Amino acid sequence: MLTSRWGGWLCLDFANIVEARAAAAPEEHLHTYGELLWWGADTGVLDEERAARLGELADAKPRAAAAALDRAIHLREGVFRTFHHAARALPPPADDLAAIHDRYADGIRHAELDWTREPPAWTWADAHLDQPAWAVAASAVELATHGPLHRVKTCAAEEGCAGLFVDTTKNNSRRWCEMEGCGNEVKFRRQTDRRRAARRRQPPRAR
Ligand SMILES: [Zn+2]
């Protein structure tokens, strides 16, 4: 299981669970409902108690948990394509928007406004297997309606990363998912290219 936070927005971090999406062999890191719970707890979507409760529910109803995992993955792919289009100033495909609509509407139907919070917030009082997906859908709607949508970018690496992130740099200059990852590869390649070019420019050594 992979969790990364470089997306800078919950729904993008969720989409980035699949690595190297544009490469020949993308890497899936989410295989079980238990891994989804682990991701939810790691990112703070679920507190410890809720994650444990959902684990019990999943153990008691494995088929329902598998269906909830399928819905979460369907949502994740919709989120990826929606914001991958947005990053290129293209309108998202209708099916992908629908995937977000459906999970969001479902989540809101089960949510209640908790007035004891400061400020009041939507919460899910009862444990429900779809809760991690509901939180991701709410995050996607927030990014689309209130977030800095024009700051959503896709990693510039040519090796097929296609990771999504919100660029929070002052001058809007971020190009890669992670400097230690794709950024480094690109920098390394440029350095080697420059060195090779410099070598070619050098006169042949005197004997
Ligand atoms: Zn990348």
Side-chain angles (χ1 to χ4, degrees):
M1 184 62 201
L2 172 93
T3 51
S4 57
R5 304 307 300 270
W6 48 259
W9 205 278
L10 184 74
C11 69
L12 302 185
D13 288 330
F14 192 55
N16 291 335
I17 285 177
V18 178
E19 276 190 290
R21 279 182 177 274
E27 262 186 85
E28 171 65 88
H29 291 279
L30 177 57
H31 306 95
T32 63
Y33 185 80
E35 286 181 333
L36 179 63
L37 287 186
W38 189 90
W39 180 85
D42 194 53
T43 52
V45 163
L46 305 168
D47 62 28
E48 226 170 86
E49 196 187 321
R50 182 56 60 93
R53 177 77 195 105
L54 289 177
E56 289 166 13
L57 273 181
D59 286 344
K61 297 180 174 181
R63 280 173 59 186
L69 175 67
D70 284 349
R71 285 191 291 273
I73 287 176
H74 182 67
L75 168 70
R76 184 189 68 187
E77 298 312 293
V79 165
F80 172 76
R81 282 188 295 266
T82 294
F83 291 101
H84 193 242
H85 276 69
R88 293 169 293 149
L90 296 169
D95 284 357
D96 297 319
L97 274 184
I100 297 173
H101 293 169
D102 289 351
R103 246 359 76 223
Y104 180 73
D106 193 32
I108 289 297
R109 206 154 43 81
H110 288 81
E112 53 192 53
L113 197 52
D114 182 355
W115 210 266
T116 65
R117 295 203 184 196
E118 182 59 41
W122 285 109
T123 54
W124 292 288
D126 301 322
H128 194 294
L129 290 170
D130 282 316
Q131 192 181 331
W134 291 341
V136 169
S139 155
V141 169
E142 176 74 17
L143 180 55
T145 56
H146 291 88
L149 188 58
H150 63 288
R151 289 291 193 123
V152 174
K153 293 183 178 178
T154 184
C155 179
E158 285 153 21
E159 287 79 6
C161 168
L164 291 171
F165 57 87
V166 173
D167 183 356
T168 54
T169 58
K170 259 191 190 147
N171 53 358
N172 203 17
S173 61
R174 183 171 160 192
R175 300 191 57 215
W176 295 292
C177 56
E178 289 177 299
M179 273 323 284
E180 311 84 64
C182 291
N184 248 1
E185 270 171 44
V186 175
K187 261 169 65 180
F188 178 77
R189 209 175 48 221
R190 277 205 198 120
Q191 250 169 29
T192 348
D193 286 352
R194 263 201 302 272
R195 280 188 202 128
R196 261 190 219 127
R199 270 201 298 274
R200 278 199 296 273
R201 281 196 300 273
Q202 273 168 15
R205 255 184 237 154
R207 300 218 168 214

